[in-house]
Amino acid sequence: MSNTITKFTHQTFQQGKIYFALAHKQISTRLRNFIYPTLEFQTQPLSPGILQKMQKRIDDIMERDLADGENGIYPVNIIFDNPWSDFFSYYPNIWLDMPTVWSRIKQKKYQEFSPQINTQNYPAYYLQNFHYQTDGYLSDTSANLYDLQVELLFNGTADAMRRRILAPLKIGLEKLFSGQKLETLAPQNLRVLDIACGTGRTLKFIRATLPKAALYGVDLSSAYLKKAHQLLSEELGELPQLLQGNAEDLPWRDNFFQATTCVFMFHELPPMVRQKVIEEAFRVTKPGGVFVICDSIQVSDEPDFSPMLKNFPAMFHEPYYQSYITDNLEERLEKVGFINIATEVHFVSKYWVACKPVEKVVSR
C-alpha cells in the first residue's frame, strides 16, 4: 500500500510540475508575441512523433527516478524535493525580467552585463548571457532564478535528470571499496567533487545519497557559490567545501577524490576547453575512482530529435552547443586515460560513466 501511495503522490507531484511548466511557456510566448510581434526564432516545427517520443521519455525517467528511490539508491523523499521558498520568492521576478530578456534577444546583445559586475579574470567563453539570462552567471539575481528557469525549461524534469548520476556514482564507489559499506567509511576516505556545482542542487542530492562522504564543489561564479552555500546550509551534516575556481585548473592535488561529477556544463564549453576539463578530472580522480558526466543528448543518440537539438541554440543563446552535439566525449575520455566508459540516455540528457585505471604495482 505504501508503494502505491508513494507512486500516486509522485505522479501527481510531477504532473503538476509538468503542467505548470507548459502553461508558463504558453503564456510567456503569447505575451512575447504581443509585445514583440516581429521577434521570431528560426526554428523547425516538431512532428507529433517527436512529441510522443518526448512524452514517453518523460514517463520513463519519472519511473526510473521513483524506482531508484524505492530501491535504496537514494532516500525516496528527495524525489519530492522542490525549492518552494525560491519559487514563491523569485518566480514573479522571472516575469519581471522577461521584457529585458526579449529586448536583449531583439538587439542581439549576448555579452551584456550590469555595470557593477566585474567581468575581469573570467575566460572569454564564460562571459555570455547563456539562455539570454540577465548578467549571465555573474549576479545574485541570476543565481536566484536559475533553478526555477531550468525546471521550467525541462518541463519539471531537471532534478530527475540530475539524479540519474547518483546510481552510477554509487555503483562506481562500491566497486572501488569492494567489500566495504560506503556508510562505514571515514569522510577523509570518501571524497567527491562536483565540477561546476552552480547553485548546489547536485551536491544536495549527493549528500542525501552519500551522507558520510566529504563533498566538494567548484564553480567560476561567486554568486552561484553563495546560493549553493545557502541551499546546502539547510541540510544536516558537514557542509561541502565550496571553492571559486576554473575547471580547467582545479585547485586540488593529484588523485585526491574517489569520485568526480559534472552536470550540465560541457555543452557551454568550447571544444578544447572540454578536453582540458576532462584532463583535470582525470588528474584529481584517484586510481579506481569514477567520473560521471550529465549533459544534453547528442545527435547520434536520437537522430529523430535532430530538429529539437537544432532549435535549442536558436531559441537560447548557446554558442558552443552545435559543436557539442557532434563531439565525441568517449574519445576525449579515452584520450586522457579513462577506461570502461559507458553511456546512458534519459529524456534529453546523456550520461558518461568512466573509471580511472588502477595503477599497476611493479615488483622488483
Side-chain angles (χ1 to χ4, degrees):
M1 175 64 74
S2 61
N3 285 349
T4 302
I5 294 173
T6 301
K7 184 175 182 179
F8 175 77
T9 305
H10 178 242
Q11 289 176 339
T12 303
F13 175 69
Q14 284 301 145
Q15 287 298 324
K17 291 174 70 177
I18 292 169
Y19 292 146
F20 184 89
L22 292 173
H24 170 88
K25 290 177 180 178
Q26 289 177 357
I27 296 170
S28 61
T29 299
R30 290 176 183 176
L31 183 60
R32 185 194 70 214
N33 291 340
F34 176 76
I35 297 175
Y36 287 99
T38 60
L39 182 59
E40 296 181 356
F41 297 99
Q42 299 300 316
T43 59
Q44 302 179 39
L46 301 183
S47 68
I50 291 177
L51 296 176
Q52 288 177 358
K53 280 190 175 182
M54 290 180 65
Q55 184 58 53
K56 175 65 165 57
R57 288 194 172 191
I58 290 176
D59 294 341
D60 290 345
I61 196 172
M62 294 310 166
E63 289 182 12
R64 182 70 175 270
D65 197 22
L66 179 60
D68 278 357
E70 292 182 328
N71 292 332
I73 298 296
Y74 40 77
V76 72
N77 64 290
I78 71 171
I79 68 176
F80 299 102
D81 183 85
N82 199 66
W84 295 113
S85 61
D86 279 11
F87 176 83
F88 291 113
S89 298
Y90 300 121
Y91 179 67
N93 291 2
I94 291 179
W95 286 100
L96 293 173
D97 190 47
M98 281 184 183
T100 303
V101 171
W102 296 333
S103 175
R104 185 180 303 116
I105 296 172
K106 188 172 181 62
Q107 298 178 56
K108 301 186 185 300
K109 293 183 177 179
Y110 309 139
Q111 293 86 31
E112 185 179 53
F113 296 89
S114 302
Q116 65 269 25
I117 292 178
N118 184 356
T119 57
Q120 295 182 353
N121 301 321
Y122 290 102
Y125 64 80
Y126 190 70
L127 297 176
Q128 307 278 347
N129 298 113
F130 292 106
H131 299 199
Y132 301 115
Q133 290 183 134
T134 298
D135 294 326
Y137 292 135
L138 298 181
S139 72
D140 291 340
T141 300
S142 170
N144 287 330
L145 299 183
Y146 176 79
D147 287 327
L148 300 180
Q149 291 170 326
V150 173
E151 279 294 319
L152 293 169
L153 171 64
F154 290 120
N155 293 344
T157 66
D159 279 344
M161 289 193 288
R162 289 187 182 102
R163 287 191 288 269
R164 294 306 89 226
I165 73 163
L166 299 176
L169 172 64
K170 194 171 184 180
I171 292 169
L173 287 169
E174 288 172 345
K175 288 180 180 179
L176 176 62
F177 295 102
S178 180
Q180 300 181 65
K181 293 184 177 180
L182 298 181
E183 57 268 24
T184 65
L185 296 170
Q188 63 268 25
N189 294 327
L190 182 52
R191 294 186 289 264
V192 180
L193 169 66
D194 187 35
I195 299 171
C197 63
T199 62
R201 293 293 293 170
T202 301
L203 281 171
K204 181 177 183 179
F205 297 142
I206 295 175
R207 165 61 71 219
T209 307
L210 303 169
K212 297 295 185 180
L215 303 185
Y216 297 73
V218 62
D219 201 278
L220 267 173
S221 172
S222 60
Y224 276 62
L225 288 171
K226 187 196 306 183
K227 184 68 176 179
H229 188 274
Q230 174 189 330
L231 174 70
L232 298 167
S233 295
E234 300 169 357
E235 301 300 305
L236 297 175
E238 183 180 346
L239 270 175
Q241 297 186 36
L242 305 176
L243 290 179
Q244 185 176 13
N246 193 327
E248 298 177 73
D249 186 19
L250 295 173
W252 288 281
R253 61 176 171 81
D254 297 358
N255 307 324
F256 188 69
F257 298 101
Q258 280 71 32
T260 48
T261 62
C262 185
V263 176
F264 298 151
M265 181 185 75
F266 276 85
H267 73 279
E268 293 185 343
L269 300 177
M272 294 314 298
V273 179
R274 291 179 208 134
Q275 187 66 41
K276 181 61 178 175
V277 172
I278 290 173
E279 290 171 1
E280 280 294 279
F282 184 84
R283 180 182 66 79
V284 301
T285 302
K286 181 183 177 68
V290 62
F291 179 36
V292 186
I293 299 171
C294 164
D295 216 295
S296 163
I297 58 171
Q298 298 179 298
V299 172
S300 59
D301 301 315
E302 181 55 81
D304 288 349
F305 283 6
S306 182
M308 183 180 68
L309 297 182
K310 292 178 179 178
N311 288 350
F312 185 64
M315 297 179 66
F316 302 90
H317 180 56
E318 290 286 1
Y320 314 112
Y321 190 77
Q322 287 291 355
S323 70
Y324 163 81
I325 59 176
T326 57
D327 199 356
N328 190 334
L329 292 194
E330 294 97 312
E331 187 175 274
R332 293 189 183 279
L333 290 162
E334 290 174 349
K335 182 178 179 180
V336 303
F338 281 111
I339 61 172
N340 300 333
I341 300 164
T343 62
E344 300 177 3
V345 171
H346 300 286
F347 186 34
V348 291
S349 56
K350 183 174 182 175
Y351 304 79
W352 291 260
V353 184
C355 297
K356 185 171 180 176
V358 177
E359 295 175 335
K360 295 181 180 180
V361 178
V362 180
S363 58
R364 294 183 180 276

